[in-house]
């Protein structure tokens, strides 16, 4: 099939409305949605979960399932209306002219077929090329997505590749037939931040190489800034603002866009003097949308009689290129007005040392042949000589990629695993080798955990109140049932949930509300240390701000020590007092937040900072993309654990990084680093993140 050049809009959506039909009612998912994408242009589609982003993508693919239906409007691809195409014509276009990359790569890969066969299928089916030509193109596209040893990759099964490699294969498959439109639905959410940076760089380069237009769906505004030319912000089924990236980021004209930016931790935000501002209220359910503006009940600028009367259409904003806002008051609002804060928070001063870790090691012995349990045993060094202290009222962030040992350390601290060697001193008591079932009730209640996914930690068949009361019973708090009932209501109040939620089931709560219940349960026994393992990564950005603020508030009140495990350095910079950076079981850098976020950095910290997408057009970032994948903890490299990916290795005496593990070096004022780089080289390091002059 020969493709011709086309100079009109690649995609033109006009007045699109999509509904899902159940036995009870019609549920409008997308209403009056319009956008256009020009050849070679990248459009970002952003908004919270449930706003209709993915439904728009499925509408373009004409893949809405049995219950979904396009109620009105048109979707034109190269001036052909997709709504009126036959299933045969659609089959020709899908995967050939329009390709889609999903969030989870394994959803697109057949686990029983080798990668080579899966890639070769695309041109054979869509273009009828020979097997030899298809194989040549498969090898070419594997090289394009920067995967090593293309011949080996072709012969591999999907399970033999890492998550980042699988996602690269899915991108390669999507690009095999050089599509005119590529739809990416949260393609990097499941990946580590350094892998995400490499994938984003790859998508941008390939988009330019093939002249592909892109629709990039994400909730991450920083990612959209780095990848797209234009942006469309969605809220509750509607596009509320659209325009060029610079116009929407710097001259936003819709209250929801403004509220989104105020709820994400940009550089300069401070948990005490410039805290994040959460969006009040909750996202409306599709069948409970208000009259007039959908955002009205949560908007700071709402006017009764003006915002809640008629359906509001997209209005053209005079400045900017095709800049539009779905707000009746956009021209009246002072968008440059300073935010007035209700109060400045008082910084909690760290108290006495409450947790001391000394030379902690956690090794696992596994069979070399994991499938059949035979062969020699191998040792996985998940944690290698961790040593640090944490004080009362302090927030210590633990950062690093998957497999670095963050969660293993948390399990050992909680008593879910026991240490191989070393000490965990909790107020002087060594609990490193005491499993949770042998720990005193007081010790268990002193160290609690808030998990990443609030959905998995609540019992679906018990009410919220009874789950908190159960924790109180286990911690032996309250002498009578009425004491525990009273304490449970106090805990709901502490996490800012209405008292009537005590009688609700988990399924009746939103993600943010479930996470609040998880926090209430963690604080039920007046925990001294709370381990927060990625507690906001599963939540929408507007909910993240509220949950983060809540954790900070409870910490101030109860003088809790917070160990905050995360890969999101923006949130870490905002709320932590000290930062510990881990790589392959080792602590490679530790210091105050200021020290870790300013040069000199450990080379791995530098790469992490460069990889974080920041939603601020006044930021310039040093561009560092790490080559290769994280080595296996079962087979770590000799010498420095980071030497296989380090960009600074040439600055060190030859062979030193390959043979010797660096010693911990004390820099200044408690800043420490595990690196062979000499001081004169460290002194030449430049800041990764710079503010450009206004």
């Amino acid at each position: 099939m020969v493709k011709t050049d086309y100079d009109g809009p690649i995609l033109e959506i006009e007045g699109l409305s999509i509904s899902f039909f159940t036995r009870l009612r019609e549920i409008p998912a997308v209403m009056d949605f319009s956008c256009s994408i020009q050849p070679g242009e990248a459009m970002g589609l952003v908004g919270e979960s449930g706003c209709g982003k993915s439904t728009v993508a499925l509408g373009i693919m004409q893949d809405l399932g049995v219950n979904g239906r396009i109620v009105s409007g048109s979707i034109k691809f190269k001036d052909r209306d997709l709504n009126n195409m036959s299933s045969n014509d659609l089959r020709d276009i899908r995967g050939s002219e329009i390709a889609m990359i999903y969030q989870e790569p394994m959803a697109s890969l057949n686990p029983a077929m080798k990668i080579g066969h899966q890639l070769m299928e695309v041109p054979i089916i869509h273009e009828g090329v020979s097997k030899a030509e298809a194989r040549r193109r498969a090898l070419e596209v594997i090289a394009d997505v920067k995967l090593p040893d293309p011949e080996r990759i072709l012969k591999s099964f999907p399970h033999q590749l890492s998550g980042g490699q699988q996602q690269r294969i899915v991108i390669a498959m999507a690009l095999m037939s050089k599509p005119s439109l590529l739809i990416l639905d949260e393609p990097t959410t499941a990946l580590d931040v350094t892998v995400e940076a490499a994938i984003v760089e790859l998508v941008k380069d390939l988009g330019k190489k093939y002249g592909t237009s892109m629709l990039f769906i994400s909730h991450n505004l920083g990612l959209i800034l780095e990848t797209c030319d234009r942006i469309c912000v969605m809220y509750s089924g509607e596009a509320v603002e659209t325009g060029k990236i610079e116009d929407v980021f710097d001259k936003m004209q819709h209250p929801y866009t403004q509220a989104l930016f105020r709820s994400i931790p940009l550089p300069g935000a401070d948990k005490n003097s410039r805290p994040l501002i959460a969006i009040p209220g909750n996202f409306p359910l599709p069948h409970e949308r208000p009259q007039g503006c959908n955002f009205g009940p949560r908007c700071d600028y709402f006017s009764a009689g003006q915002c809640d009367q008629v359906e509001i259409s997209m209005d053209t904003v005079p400045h900017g290129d095709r800049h539009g806002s779905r707000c009746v008051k956009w021209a009246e609002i002072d968008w440059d007005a300073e935010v007035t804060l209700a109060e400045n928070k008082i910084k909690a001063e760290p108290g006495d040392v409450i947790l001391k870790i000394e030379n902690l090691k956690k090794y696992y012995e596994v069979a070399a042949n994991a499938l059949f349990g035979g062969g020699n045993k191998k040792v996985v060094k998940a944690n290698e000589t961790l040593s640090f202290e944490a004080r009362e009222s302090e927030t210590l962030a633990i950062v690093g990629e998957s497999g670095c040992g963050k969660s293993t350390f948390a399990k050992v601290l909680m008593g879910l695993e026991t240490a191989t060697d070393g000490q965990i001193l909790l107020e002087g008591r060594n609990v490193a080798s005491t499993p949770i079932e042998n720990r005193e009730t007081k010790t268990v209640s002193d160290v609690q955990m808030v998990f990443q996914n609030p959905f998995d930690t609540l019992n679906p068949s018990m009410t919220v109140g009874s789950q908190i009361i159960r924790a109180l019973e286990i911690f032996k708090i309250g002498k009578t049932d009425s004491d525990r009932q009273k304490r449970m209501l106090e805990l709901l109040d502490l996490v800012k949930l209405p008292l009537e939620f005590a009688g609700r089931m988990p399924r009746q709560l939103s993600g943010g509300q479930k996470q609040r219940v998880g926090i209430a349960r963690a604080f039920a026994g007046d925990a001294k240390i709370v381990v927060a393992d990625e507690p906001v990564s599963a939540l929408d950005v507007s909910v993240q701000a509220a949950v983060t603020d809540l954790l900070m508030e409870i910490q101030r009140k109860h003088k809790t020590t917070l160990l905050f495990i995360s890969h999101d350095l923006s949130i870490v910079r905002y709320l932590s007092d000290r930062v510990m950076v881990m790589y392959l079981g080792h602590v490679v850098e530790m210091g105050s937040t200021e020290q870790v976020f300013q040069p000199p950095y450990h080379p791995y910290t530098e790469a992490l900072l460069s990889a974080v997408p920041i939603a601020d057009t006044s930021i310039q970032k040093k561009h560092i993309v790490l080559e290769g994948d994280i080595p296996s903890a079962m087979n770590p490299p000799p010498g420095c654990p980071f030497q296989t990916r380090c960009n600074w290795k040439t600055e060190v005496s030859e062979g030193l990084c390959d043979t010797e593990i660096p010693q911990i070096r004390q820099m200044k004022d408690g800043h420490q680093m595990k690196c062979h780089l000499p001081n004169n080289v460290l002194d030449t390091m430049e800041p990764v993140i710079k503010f450009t002059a206004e």
Side-chain angles (χ1 to χ4, degrees):
M1 182 165 60
V2 180
K3 291 178 187 170
T4 54
D5 288 332
Y6 181 80
D7 58 3
I10 293 292
L11 182 73
E12 202 168 12
I13 302 177
E14 276 295 326
L16 179 68
S17 293
I18 299 173
S19 290
F20 290 90
F21 292 85
T22 67
R23 281 177 297 178
L24 293 176
R25 59 169 76 92
E26 175 188 351
I27 299 171
V30 173
M31 296 157 303
D32 188 30
F33 179 88
S34 300
C35 82
S36 67
I37 303 176
Q38 301 298 321
E41 195 170 63
M43 166 75 85
L45 197 53
V46 300
E48 298 169 273
S49 306
C51 72
K53 306 186 299 289
S54 296
T55 305
V56 168
L58 293 172
I60 296 166
M61 298 298 285
Q62 300 288 307
D63 184 23
L64 292 165
V66 289
N67 294 335
R69 200 178 310 154
I70 292 172
V71 179
S72 62
S74 64
I75 305 172
K76 288 184 179 175
F77 173 72
K78 294 187 177 178
D79 215 25
R80 296 172 68 196
D81 196 335
L82 295 173
N83 298 349
N84 301 326
M85 276 193 191
S86 68
S87 53
N88 284 342
D89 286 346
L90 283 170
R91 200 176 297 120
D92 284 344
I93 283 180
R94 284 193 205 119
S96 163
E97 292 260 352
I98 305 175
M100 187 158 173
I101 297 170
Y102 295 90
Q103 182 171 341
E104 177 48 63
M106 280 308 289
S108 307
L109 295 172
N110 184 332
M113 275 174 76
K114 288 183 178 175
I115 297 297
H117 286 146
Q118 298 191 53
L119 286 171
M120 287 161 63
E121 265 189 348
V122 180
I124 288 172
I125 289 170
H126 285 292
E127 298 174 49
V129 302
S130 67
K131 275 190 176 178
E133 172 61 12
R135 193 173 193 283
R136 185 194 67 74
R137 280 170 56 175
L139 284 168
E140 184 186 320
V141 81
I142 286 177
D144 273 347
V145 296
K146 298 189 171 71
L147 279 171
D149 195 356
E151 285 285 354
R152 180 185 66 81
I153 296 281
L154 281 189
K155 293 171 186 163
S156 301
F157 286 98
H159 71 268
Q160 294 172 305
L161 307 180
S162 69
Q165 289 175 330
Q166 287 172 0
Q167 193 62 289
R168 283 167 188 252
I169 290 297
V170 172
I171 291 168
M173 201 182 291
L175 292 168
M176 276 298 282
S177 53
K178 299 182 176 57
S180 302
L181 177 65
L182 185 59
I183 302 171
L184 304 104
D185 191 358
E186 301 269 15
T188 58
T189 305
L191 304 176
D192 277 311
V193 66
T194 52
V195 181
E196 176 182 80
I199 295 284
V200 165
E201 180 75 6
L202 176 71
V203 167
K204 276 163 60 181
D205 288 350
L206 293 174
K208 283 178 193 149
K209 176 176 176 178
Y210 292 117
T212 308
S213 301
M214 287 191 277
L215 181 65
F216 199 115
I217 296 170
S218 181
H219 64 273
N220 187 328
L221 285 159
L223 211 53
I224 294 294
L225 172 62
E226 292 188 1
T227 48
C228 297
D229 309 299
R230 298 182 64 77
I231 183 172
C232 177
V233 182
M234 287 189 76
Y235 180 80
S236 190
E238 295 179 328
V240 293
E241 185 165 9
T242 182
K244 280 178 71 175
I245 287 284
E246 311 83 73
D247 292 337
V248 175
F249 274 59
D250 298 336
K251 298 173 190 163
M252 57 196 71
Q253 300 288 310
H254 195 282
Y256 176 61
T257 314
Q258 185 185 57
L260 265 187
F261 275 89
R262 286 178 176 173
S263 64
I264 56 176
L266 298 174
D270 180 271
K271 64 182 177 183
N272 298 306
S273 60
R274 286 187 59 194
L276 303 181
I277 301 168
I279 302 175
N282 290 313
F283 196 78
L285 293 171
H287 57 280
E288 293 175 356
R289 290 187 178 114
Q291 192 170 340
C293 176
N294 284 344
F295 188 59
R298 306 175 74 190
C299 181
D300 290 340
Y301 309 103
F302 178 78
S303 289
Q306 184 180 9
C307 300
D308 55 3
Q309 289 304 302
V310 291
E311 275 194 23
I312 297 162
S313 56
M314 189 71 86
D315 201 0
T316 303
V317 176
H319 71 258
D321 171 29
R322 291 177 282 154
H323 192 175
S325 171
R326 195 183 291 269
C327 175
V328 291
K329 298 183 71 175
W330 68 263
E332 304 167 28
I333 296 168
D334 180 1
W335 297 102
D336 299 319
E338 281 291 312
V339 183
T340 51
L341 295 174
E343 56 175 333
N344 268 16
K345 306 284 197 282
I346 297 163
K347 187 180 187 301
E349 289 303 320
D352 299 332
V353 171
I354 201 163
L355 174 70
K356 190 169 185 179
I357 310 291
E358 291 184 343
N359 295 321
L360 182 75
K361 295 181 181 179
K362 177 59 185 173
Y363 295 172
Y364 294 97
E365 204 174 66
V366 295
N369 187 333
L371 191 60
F372 301 108
N376 301 325
K377 297 278 185 184
K378 283 206 168 191
V379 172
V380 175
K381 297 181 178 182
N383 288 152
E384 186 64 77
T385 55
L386 304 190
S387 295
F388 66 91
E389 294 176 346
R391 297 175 180 276
E392 185 183 79
S393 294
E394 182 180 51
T395 302
L396 171 66
I398 305 172
V399 301
E401 296 168 286
S402 306
C404 74
K406 309 186 297 284
S407 295
T408 300
F409 160 70
K411 286 177 187 169
V412 175
L413 176 60
M414 297 290 296
L416 301 171
E417 302 270 3
T418 52
T420 305
D421 196 11
Q423 293 190 318
I424 296 176
L425 298 170
L426 260 177
E427 295 184 312
R429 305 187 307 278
N430 183 15
V431 295
S433 53
T434 312
I436 194 164
E437 60 268 23
N438 297 339
R439 289 187 180 182
E440 295 173 11
T441 305
K442 174 83 171 66
T443 306
V444 174
S445 66
D446 275 353
V447 186
Q448 284 295 297
M449 196 157 180
V450 178
F451 294 91
Q452 177 173 358
N453 197 335
F455 310 95
D456 295 341
T457 56
L458 297 178
N459 185 329
S461 60
M462 285 173 74
T463 64
V464 165
S466 56
Q467 299 198 47
I468 296 172
I469 286 171
R470 175 88 181 109
L472 294 170
E473 286 169 351
I474 290 168
F475 299 146
K476 299 187 170 84
I477 289 170
K479 292 178 181 172
T480 64
D481 286 349
S482 63
D483 285 349
R484 286 189 278 272
Q485 179 75 16
K486 186 180 170 201
R487 175 70 181 140
M488 179 269 291
L489 293 172
E490 285 171 2
L491 284 162
L492 284 181
D493 201 40
L494 180 71
V495 296
K496 294 183 170 60
L497 283 176
L499 301 185
E500 61 266 23
F501 273 44
R504 290 198 181 181
M505 304 300 281
R507 67 175 181 274
Q508 296 172 290
L509 274 57
S510 69
Q513 289 166 343
K514 284 178 186 163
Q515 194 59 293
R516 285 165 188 261
V517 176
I519 293 168
R521 216 168 40 176
F523 282 91
D526 281 330
K528 288 191 165 64
I529 298 168
V530 169
V531 182
D533 189 359
E534 301 270 14
V536 294
S537 64
L539 306 175
D540 279 312
V541 285
S542 60
V543 184
Q544 277 183 18
V547 171
T548 306
D549 192 46
L550 174 70
L551 275 171
M552 296 292 98
E553 201 171 309
I554 297 173
Q555 182 188 38
R556 287 186 196 97
K557 201 171 178 179
H558 292 260
K559 297 189 172 179
T560 318
T561 303
L562 194 62
L563 300 183
F564 193 88
I565 297 174
S566 182
H567 67 271
D568 182 345
L569 287 172
S570 299
I571 203 99
V572 162
R573 184 177 199 162
Y574 169 69
L575 60 79
S576 63
D577 302 306
R578 287 194 303 134
V579 180
M580 182 165 100
V581 183
M582 291 186 71
Y583 185 82
L584 219 59
H586 294 258
V587 175
V588 295
E589 185 168 6
M590 184 157 61
S592 70
T593 307
E594 269 69 41
Q595 289 168 337
V596 172
F597 278 78
Q598 287 173 4
Y601 314 103
H602 186 281
Y604 177 58
T605 310
E606 183 188 44
L608 276 183
L609 288 170
S610 161
V612 177
I614 300 172
D616 190 334
T617 55
S618 67
I619 291 286
Q620 261 191 349
K621 276 197 315 181
K622 194 173 173 185
H623 193 64
I624 303 164
V625 174
L626 292 180
E627 296 297 324
D629 289 307
I630 305 169
S632 163
M634 199 186 290
N635 191 22
C640 172
F642 188 57
Q643 53 105 346
T644 56
R645 302 167 80 199
C646 184
N647 295 321
W648 288 83
K649 196 173 164 184
T650 52
E651 301 289 339
V652 180
S653 308
E654 197 173 336
L656 187 61
C657 296
D658 298 325
T659 54
E660 283 186 37
I661 294 176
Q663 296 298 307
I664 290 177
R665 288 160 63 183
Q666 300 298 332
M667 309 297 283
K668 60 179 180 184
D669 301 329
H671 185 196
Q672 51 183 249
M673 200 183 287
K674 212 181 232 191
C675 184
H676 287 306
L677 279 174
N679 285 339
N680 63 327
V681 174
L682 287 173
D683 291 342
T684 65
M685 276 193 170
E686 294 179 348
V688 171
I689 298 166
K690 289 180 184 172
F691 288 88
T692 55
E694 294 281 318

